[in-house]
Amino acid sequence: MTSAPDSSAVPTIGVFDSGFGGLTVLRALMRKIPRARFAFIGDTARLPYGSKSRRTIARYAAQSAQFLVQEQKAEFLVIACNTASALALDAIQEAVPVPVMGVIEPGAAAARAASRTGDVLVIATEATVHSHAYAAACRAQGLRALEKACPLLVPLVEEGWTDHPVTTEVIDIYLNELRAEAAGRGLKPDTLVLGCTHYPLLRTLIEHAVRPGVKVIDSAESTAQAVAQLFCERAAPRAPDDGHETEVRCFATDSVEKFEHLGSRFLERPVGKVELIDLGG
Amino acid sequence: MTSAPDSSAVPTIGVFDSGFGGLTVLRALMRKIPRARFAFIGDTARLPYGSKSRRTIARYAAQSAQFLVQEQKAEFLVIACNTASALALDAIQEAVPVPVMGVIEPGAAAARAASRTGDVLVIATEATVHSHAYAAACRAQGLRALEKACPLLVPLVEEGWTDHPVTTEVIDIYLNELRAEAAGRGLKPDTLVLGCTHYPLLRTLIEHAVRPGVKVIDSAESTAQAVAQLFCERAAPRAPDDGHETEVRCFATDSVEKFEHLGSRFLERPVGKVELIDLGG
C-alpha cells in the first residue's frame, strides 16, 4: 500500500506526449496548478504516434512513463497525447505504480456538460479515430459520437500555418465531410471535441468554421481542470500572481532544438533548456 | 577482399526506406532490372525520418541495412530515402560489407545532364534540406543548388490528395517562395529536383506549377538508372516482357495493413503480403 501523500509537499506531476503538442496540456496544467513541479517528456525520436499500431505505441509510452516515475519521481502522470491515451492507457497504468490520467475521459465528460442534443463530433489523428476511444468514452457518458481523422492538421500546425487560408480550406473540407456524414446518420451535433493536442492552436479557425451554436471542447483544457480538482482536494493552489515561478523540466528523445523552437508556440512562453534523453530504440 | 560476383546468378538487391515512399524507387528498379530479386524494408515504426536528428537516423538506418544484408542476403543496397541518403550514407556503408547507393548523387548527376544554366532548385523534407546534401552533391557536379523544405507535401500524398486543389495551392506557395529566393540571389534555375521519394506522386501537379522550360528531375528514376548501369555491366537484363515475374519481398516494422493499402499507390501494382519484423526500439 502506498502512503498517503503529504498535502504540504509540492507535488511532482509527470506529463507525457509523443511530441510537443502535449505542451498545450502542460500550459493548461501550469495555469490551474501553479504550485506543482512539472516534468514533461516528448518522445520526439519516435513521433508521430498517430500513424502507428497499438502494440508499438504501448511499448513506447510505457518507457516514457517509467522515466517520469523512476527518474523524475513523478507522483501523478498525465498522458497529454490523445493517441497514447486512446491506445496505451492500460499499458501505462500497468507499467507504473502511480495514478495515470489520459485526455479522453475528461474530453468526453466536458462534451457531456456542453451538449444538449447528446450528439457530438470528434476530430483527431488516424490512430485515435481508429481506436474509437472517444466513441466509447462518449457512449459511457450517454452521448453519441461521430469521429473523423484529420491527418493534415498536425503538419499544418507544425508548418506554422495556424492562421493561413490553406488551413481554413482544409478545416472546411474536413468539417463539411464530417457534417455530411452526421446528417446521413440522422445526428444533430451541437458539440465538437478537439481530440488532438495540436488542435488548440487552430481553435480560432475551427470556431469560425463550425455552425453557429456548436460548442468547441478543448480536451487539453478539460484534462487540466480534472487534474486540478484532484490536487485541490489535498492542498489549495498558490495564487497565480504571488511571484512564484512554476518549476518545469522538459525532456525530449530527439531534436531538442526543434522542440525548443516550436515548443514555445504551444506553451505560449519559452520552454527553456530541453534535456536530451535516450529511451533506447 | 570479397570475391567477384557470379554474373550468371540472379542478384538480390536490398531497398531501404523509412516508410513506403521508397516504393517509387523500387518501382523504377523493377522496370530497369526485372531479372533481380528485391527485398524492400520500410521502417514504418519509426517514420518519418524527415524531422529527426542525424544520430537517430543513422542508428535506425544501419539496423535496416543489416537486416537486408544478414537476413535477406542482399548483395547490393539502395537507400531509397532522401533523408537517410543525406544523413546516414556513411553510417550505412560502415555497417554493411556490400556496396551501397543513395538517391542524392544520381539526382545531382541527372540535374547536371539536364541543366544549361547550372542553377538548380531542390525540394525535399526538412532534414534533407537541413543537411545540405543536395547542395554539396550539386556543387561537386559544378551546379549551384537552392534547396527548400516542403513539409506539407508528404502528408498531402499520404492523405491521397495527389490531384487536389489544396495540393496545387500548397505547391504554388512553396515554388513561389523558392523562385523569389532564387531571384534574390541572382540564380536562373532551369531544373527542379524532386528530393523526396513521395514527390513523384505529385509530378503532374509540379510540372504544371513550374515555369515553362524548367525540367523536373525524379531522383527515384535517376537512381534506378544508375543501379541498372552497374548491373548491366555484369549481365544483360532479362527482357521485361519474357513472362518472368520479378521477385519482391516487402518487410515493415509496423502497420503492415497501412503499408499494403498505401504501398500499391506508390508501386503502381499490389504490394502483396507485407511481413512484419522487429528491429528493436
Side-chain angles (χ1 to χ4, degrees), chain A residues 266-277:
Chain A
F266 289 77
L267 200 55
E268 288 182 353
R269 69 171 220 181
V271 291
K273 182 87 197 124
V274 176
E275 298 166 60
L276 184 67
I277 56 161

Side-chain angles (χ1 to χ4, degrees), chain A residues 74-143:
Chain A
E75 302 143 62
F76 190 92
L77 281 193
V78 179
I79 310 306
C81 170
N82 283 272
T83 306
S85 298
L87 295 173
L89 190 58
D90 292 356
I92 297 167
Q93 282 170 334
E94 270 172 37
V96 292
V98 305
V100 180
M101 185 183 285
V103 287
I104 310 268
E105 309 286 335
R112 187 182 62 170
S115 177
R116 288 166 178 266
T117 63
D119 292 341
V120 168
L121 303 174
V122 180
I123 55 174
T125 64
E126 207 178 332
T128 301
V129 168
H130 197 70
S131 75
H132 297 303
Y134 270 103
C138 286
R139 204 180 307 119
Q141 298 277 355
L143 303 170

